[in-house]
PDB file of all heavy atoms in Angstrom:
ATOM      1  N   LYS A  51      10.697 -18.012 -12.748  1.00  0.00           N
ATOM      2  CA  LYS A  51      11.475 -16.964 -13.413  1.00  0.00           C
ATOM      3  C   LYS A  51      11.905 -17.596 -14.721  1.00  0.00           C
ATOM      4  O   LYS A  51      12.855 -18.386 -14.729  1.00  0.00           O
ATOM      5  CB  LYS A  51      12.719 -16.607 -12.596  1.00  0.00           C
ATOM      6  CG  LYS A  51      12.438 -15.694 -11.419  1.00  0.00           C
ATOM      7  CD  LYS A  51      13.654 -15.553 -10.522  1.00  0.00           C
ATOM      8  CE  LYS A  51      14.718 -14.651 -11.136  1.00  0.00           C
ATOM      9  NZ  LYS A  51      15.818 -14.348 -10.154  1.00  0.00           N
ATOM     10  N   TYR A 168      -5.637   8.384  -6.852  1.00  0.00           N
ATOM     11  CA  TYR A 168      -4.830   9.616  -6.874  1.00  0.00           C
ATOM     12  C   TYR A 168      -4.339   9.927  -8.281  1.00  0.00           C
ATOM     13  O   TYR A 168      -4.072  11.073  -8.605  1.00  0.00           O
ATOM     14  CB  TYR A 168      -3.656   9.494  -5.890  1.00  0.00           C
ATOM     15  CG  TYR A 168      -2.829   8.273  -6.165  1.00  0.00           C
ATOM     16  CD1 TYR A 168      -1.652   8.353  -6.894  1.00  0.00           C
ATOM     17  CD2 TYR A 168      -3.261   7.017  -5.751  1.00  0.00           C
ATOM     18  CE1 TYR A 168      -0.922   7.220  -7.196  1.00  0.00           C
ATOM     19  CE2 TYR A 168      -2.543   5.884  -6.057  1.00  0.00           C
ATOM     20  CZ  TYR A 168      -1.376   5.989  -6.779  1.00  0.00           C
ATOM     21  OH  TYR A 168      -0.675   4.873  -7.108  1.00  0.00           O
ATOM     22  N   ILE A 254       5.351 -12.908   3.833  1.00  0.00           N
ATOM     23  CA  ILE A 254       5.690 -11.749   3.001  1.00  0.00           C
ATOM     24  C   ILE A 254       5.924 -12.149   1.544  1.00  0.00           C
ATOM     25  O   ILE A 254       5.445 -11.492   0.624  1.00  0.00           O
ATOM     26  CB  ILE A 254       6.944 -11.037   3.552  1.00  0.00           C
ATOM     27  CG1 ILE A 254       6.622 -10.431   4.924  1.00  0.00           C
ATOM     28  CG2 ILE A 254       7.409  -9.928   2.616  1.00  0.00           C
ATOM     29  CD1 ILE A 254       7.829  -9.872   5.620  1.00  0.00           C
ATOM     30  N   PRO A 263       8.647  -7.942 -11.598  1.00  0.00           N
ATOM     31  CA  PRO A 263      10.069  -8.225 -11.397  1.00  0.00           C
ATOM     32  C   PRO A 263      10.922  -6.955 -11.376  1.00  0.00           C
ATOM     33  O   PRO A 263      11.901  -6.889 -10.632  1.00  0.00           O
ATOM     34  CB  PRO A 263      10.432  -9.079 -12.608  1.00  0.00           C
ATOM     35  CG  PRO A 263       9.362  -8.841 -13.615  1.00  0.00           C
ATOM     36  CD  PRO A 263       8.136  -8.509 -12.858  1.00  0.00           C
ATOM     37  N   LEU A 264      10.542  -5.988 -12.200  1.00  0.00           N
ATOM     38  CA  LEU A 264      11.347  -4.775 -12.346  1.00  0.00           C
ATOM     39  C   LEU A 264      10.369  -3.662 -12.695  1.00  0.00           C
ATOM     40  O   LEU A 264       9.494  -3.838 -13.541  1.00  0.00           O
ATOM     41  CB  LEU A 264      12.340  -4.986 -13.501  1.00  0.00           C
ATOM     42  CG  LEU A 264      13.604  -4.127 -13.570  1.00  0.00           C
ATOM     43  CD1 LEU A 264      14.490  -4.366 -12.360  1.00  0.00           C
ATOM     44  CD2 LEU A 264      14.392  -4.449 -14.841  1.00  0.00           C
ATOM     45  N   ALA A 265      10.506  -2.523 -12.022  1.00  0.00           N
ATOM     46  CA  ALA A 265       9.584  -1.417 -12.291  1.00  0.00           C
ATOM     47  C   ALA A 265      10.365  -0.115 -12.276  1.00  0.00           C
ATOM     48  O   ALA A 265      11.357   0.013 -11.543  1.00  0.00           O
ATOM     49  CB  ALA A 265       8.481  -1.380 -11.249  1.00  0.00           C
ATOM     50  N   LYS A 266       9.880   0.818 -13.065  1.00  0.00           N
ATOM     51  CA  LYS A 266      10.642   2.054 -13.266  1.00  0.00           C
ATOM     52  C   LYS A 266       9.780   3.271 -12.941  1.00  0.00           C
ATOM     53  O   LYS A 266       8.625   3.356 -13.346  1.00  0.00           O
ATOM     54  CB  LYS A 266      11.057   2.103 -14.742  1.00  0.00           C
ATOM     55  CG  LYS A 266      11.983   3.232 -15.100  1.00  0.00           C
ATOM     56  CD  LYS A 266      12.466   3.031 -16.530  1.00  0.00           C
ATOM     57  CE  LYS A 266      13.377   4.172 -16.947  1.00  0.00           C
ATOM     58  NZ  LYS A 266      13.884   3.960 -18.313  1.00  0.00           N
ATOM     59  N   TRP A 267      10.374   4.209 -12.199  1.00  0.00           N
ATOM     60  CA  TRP A 267       9.729   5.493 -11.964  1.00  0.00           C
ATOM     61  C   TRP A 267      10.543   6.567 -12.679  1.00  0.00           C
ATOM     62  O   TRP A 267      11.760   6.622 -12.507  1.00  0.00           O
ATOM     63  CB  TRP A 267       9.659   5.807 -10.469  1.00  0.00           C
ATOM     64  CG  TRP A 267       8.552   5.092  -9.761  1.00  0.00           C
ATOM     65  CD1 TRP A 267       7.307   5.586  -9.473  1.00  0.00           C
ATOM     66  CD2 TRP A 267       8.566   3.754  -9.229  1.00  0.00           C
ATOM     67  NE1 TRP A 267       6.560   4.639  -8.821  1.00  0.00           N
ATOM     68  CE2 TRP A 267       7.302   3.509  -8.655  1.00  0.00           C
ATOM     69  CE3 TRP A 267       9.520   2.724  -9.195  1.00  0.00           C
ATOM     70  CZ2 TRP A 267       6.971   2.299  -8.051  1.00  0.00           C
ATOM     71  CZ3 TRP A 267       9.197   1.518  -8.608  1.00  0.00           C
ATOM     72  CH2 TRP A 267       7.939   1.307  -8.041  1.00  0.00           C
ATOM     73  N   ASP A 268       9.871   7.396 -13.419  1.00  0.00           N
ATOM     74  CA  ASP A 268      10.615   8.356 -14.244  1.00  0.00           C
ATOM     75  C   ASP A 268      10.390   9.784 -13.758  1.00  0.00           C
ATOM     76  O   ASP A 268       9.309  10.140 -13.345  1.00  0.00           O
ATOM     77  CB  ASP A 268      10.172   8.223 -15.700  1.00  0.00           C
ATOM     78  CG  ASP A 268      11.245   8.753 -16.620  1.00  0.00           C
ATOM     79  OD1 ASP A 268      12.305   9.170 -16.118  1.00  0.00           O
ATOM     80  OD2 ASP A 268      11.024   8.762 -17.841  1.00  0.00           O
TER      81      ASP A 268
ATOM     82  N   LYS B  51      18.228  13.506 -14.003  1.00  0.00           N
ATOM     83  CA  LYS B  51      18.556  12.151 -14.449  1.00  0.00           C
ATOM     84  C   LYS B  51      19.959  12.277 -15.007  1.00  0.00           C
ATOM     85  O   LYS B  51      20.125  12.757 -16.142  1.00  0.00           O
ATOM     86  CB  LYS B  51      17.609  11.706 -15.564  1.00  0.00           C
ATOM     87  CG  LYS B  51      16.260  11.225 -15.075  1.00  0.00           C
ATOM     88  CD  LYS B  51      15.283  11.027 -16.216  1.00  0.00           C
ATOM     89  CE  LYS B  51      15.594   9.786 -17.028  1.00  0.00           C
ATOM     90  NZ  LYS B  51      14.476   9.480 -17.996  1.00  0.00           N
ATOM     91  N   TYR B 168       6.578  -5.044   8.752  1.00  0.00           N
ATOM     92  CA  TYR B 168       6.220  -6.397   8.315  1.00  0.00           C
ATOM     93  C   TYR B 168       7.466  -7.200   7.951  1.00  0.00           C
ATOM     94  O   TYR B 168       7.459  -8.419   8.010  1.00  0.00           O
ATOM     95  CB  TYR B 168       5.232  -6.340   7.137  1.00  0.00           C
ATOM     96  CG  TYR B 168       5.774  -5.508   6.010  1.00  0.00           C
ATOM     97  CD1 TYR B 168       6.378  -6.091   4.916  1.00  0.00           C
ATOM     98  CD2 TYR B 168       5.718  -4.117   6.085  1.00  0.00           C
ATOM     99  CE1 TYR B 168       6.919  -5.314   3.919  1.00  0.00           C
ATOM    100  CE2 TYR B 168       6.267  -3.332   5.086  1.00  0.00           C
ATOM    101  CZ  TYR B 168       6.869  -3.940   4.008  1.00  0.00           C
ATOM    102  OH  TYR B 168       7.431  -3.184   3.020  1.00  0.00           O
ATOM    103  N   ILE B 254       1.234  14.650  -7.726  1.00  0.00           N
ATOM    104  CA  ILE B 254       1.709  13.264  -7.731  1.00  0.00           C
ATOM    105  C   ILE B 254       3.201  13.177  -8.042  1.00  0.00           C
ATOM    106  O   ILE B 254       3.943  12.448  -7.391  1.00  0.00           O
ATOM    107  CB  ILE B 254       0.913  12.411  -8.743  1.00  0.00           C
ATOM    108  CG1 ILE B 254      -0.543  12.293  -8.287  1.00  0.00           C
ATOM    109  CG2 ILE B 254       1.507  11.025  -8.878  1.00  0.00           C
ATOM    110  CD1 ILE B 254      -1.439  11.653  -9.311  1.00  0.00           C
ATOM    111  N   LEU B 258       5.839  11.582  -5.483  1.00  0.00           N
ATOM    112  CA  LEU B 258       6.529  10.346  -5.844  1.00  0.00           C
ATOM    113  C   LEU B 258       7.954  10.601  -6.368  1.00  0.00           C
ATOM    114  O   LEU B 258       8.602   9.686  -6.859  1.00  0.00           O
ATOM    115  CB  LEU B 258       5.699   9.543  -6.854  1.00  0.00           C
ATOM    116  CG  LEU B 258       4.334   9.057  -6.334  1.00  0.00           C
ATOM    117  CD1 LEU B 258       3.603   8.272  -7.401  1.00  0.00           C
ATOM    118  CD2 LEU B 258       4.470   8.207  -5.078  1.00  0.00           C
ATOM    119  N   PRO B 263      14.606   5.035  -9.326  1.00  0.00           N
ATOM    120  CA  PRO B 263      14.407   4.974 -10.774  1.00  0.00           C
ATOM    121  C   PRO B 263      13.995   3.583 -11.256  1.00  0.00           C
ATOM    122  O   PRO B 263      13.196   3.450 -12.177  1.00  0.00           O
ATOM    123  CB  PRO B 263      15.773   5.350 -11.336  1.00  0.00           C
ATOM    124  CG  PRO B 263      16.748   5.139 -10.228  1.00  0.00           C
ATOM    125  CD  PRO B 263      15.999   5.350  -8.969  1.00  0.00           C
ATOM    126  N   LEU B 264      14.566   2.560 -10.603  1.00  0.00           N
ATOM    127  CA  LEU B 264      14.338   1.189 -11.055  1.00  0.00           C
ATOM    128  C   LEU B 264      14.440   0.315  -9.812  1.00  0.00           C
ATOM    129  O   LEU B 264      15.353   0.489  -9.006  1.00  0.00           O
ATOM    130  CB  LEU B 264      15.453   0.820 -12.053  1.00  0.00           C
ATOM    131  CG  LEU B 264      15.227  -0.327 -13.039  1.00  0.00           C
ATOM    132  CD1 LEU B 264      14.059  -0.040 -13.973  1.00  0.00           C
ATOM    133  CD2 LEU B 264      16.492  -0.558 -13.875  1.00  0.00           C
ATOM    134  N   ALA B 265      13.467  -0.586  -9.657  1.00  0.00           N
ATOM    135  CA  ALA B 265      13.497  -1.439  -8.474  1.00  0.00           C
ATOM    136  C   ALA B 265      13.093  -2.843  -8.863  1.00  0.00           C
ATOM    137  O   ALA B 265      12.313  -3.042  -9.793  1.00  0.00           O
ATOM    138  CB  ALA B 265      12.545  -0.902  -7.405  1.00  0.00           C
ATOM    139  N   LYS B 266      13.628  -3.791  -8.125  1.00  0.00           N
ATOM    140  CA  LYS B 266      13.451  -5.195  -8.513  1.00  0.00           C
ATOM    141  C   LYS B 266      12.869  -6.014  -7.364  1.00  0.00           C
ATOM    142  O   LYS B 266      13.322  -5.907  -6.222  1.00  0.00           O
ATOM    143  CB  LYS B 266      14.834  -5.745  -8.885  1.00  0.00           C
ATOM    144  CG  LYS B 266      14.831  -7.130  -9.467  1.00  0.00           C
ATOM    145  CD  LYS B 266      16.230  -7.469  -9.963  1.00  0.00           C
ATOM    146  CE  LYS B 266      16.276  -8.871 -10.542  1.00  0.00           C
ATOM    147  NZ  LYS B 266      17.622  -9.156 -11.081  1.00  0.00           N
ATOM    148  N   TRP B 267      11.887  -6.822  -7.696  1.00  0.00           N
ATOM    149  CA  TRP B 267      11.350  -7.792  -6.727  1.00  0.00           C
ATOM    150  C   TRP B 267      11.703  -9.184  -7.212  1.00  0.00           C
ATOM    151  O   TRP B 267      11.457  -9.510  -8.383  1.00  0.00           O
ATOM    152  CB  TRP B 267       9.827  -7.650  -6.601  1.00  0.00           C
ATOM    153  CG  TRP B 267       9.406  -6.519  -5.739  1.00  0.00           C
ATOM    154  CD1 TRP B 267       9.087  -6.571  -4.410  1.00  0.00           C
ATOM    155  CD2 TRP B 267       9.248  -5.141  -6.124  1.00  0.00           C
ATOM    156  NE1 TRP B 267       8.745  -5.313  -3.960  1.00  0.00           N
ATOM    157  CE2 TRP B 267       8.832  -4.426  -4.980  1.00  0.00           C
ATOM    158  CE3 TRP B 267       9.422  -4.443  -7.319  1.00  0.00           C
ATOM    159  CZ2 TRP B 267       8.582  -3.061  -5.000  1.00  0.00           C
ATOM    160  CZ3 TRP B 267       9.184  -3.083  -7.346  1.00  0.00           C
ATOM    161  CH2 TRP B 267       8.765  -2.401  -6.191  1.00  0.00           C
ATOM    162  N   ASP B 268      12.240  -9.991  -6.307  1.00  0.00           N
ATOM    163  CA  ASP B 268      12.739 -11.299  -6.760  1.00  0.00           C
ATOM    164  C   ASP B 268      11.917 -12.420  -6.163  1.00  0.00           C
ATOM    165  O   ASP B 268      11.459 -12.333  -5.047  1.00  0.00           O
ATOM    166  CB  ASP B 268      14.207 -11.446  -6.362  1.00  0.00           C
ATOM    167  CG  ASP B 268      14.875 -12.447  -7.250  1.00  0.00           C
ATOM    168  OD1 ASP B 268      14.221 -12.978  -8.164  1.00  0.00           O
ATOM    169  OD2 ASP B 268      16.070 -12.736  -7.029  1.00  0.00           O
TER     170      ASP B 268
END
Side-chain angles (χ1 to χ4, degrees):
Chain A
K51 281 171 75 171
Y168 55 98
I254 294 172
L264 201 63
K266 187 172 178 178
W267 281 264
D268 203 2
Chain B
K51 280 170 74 170
Y168 55 99
I254 294 171
L258 297 180
L264 201 62
K266 187 172 179 177
W267 281 265
D268 203 2

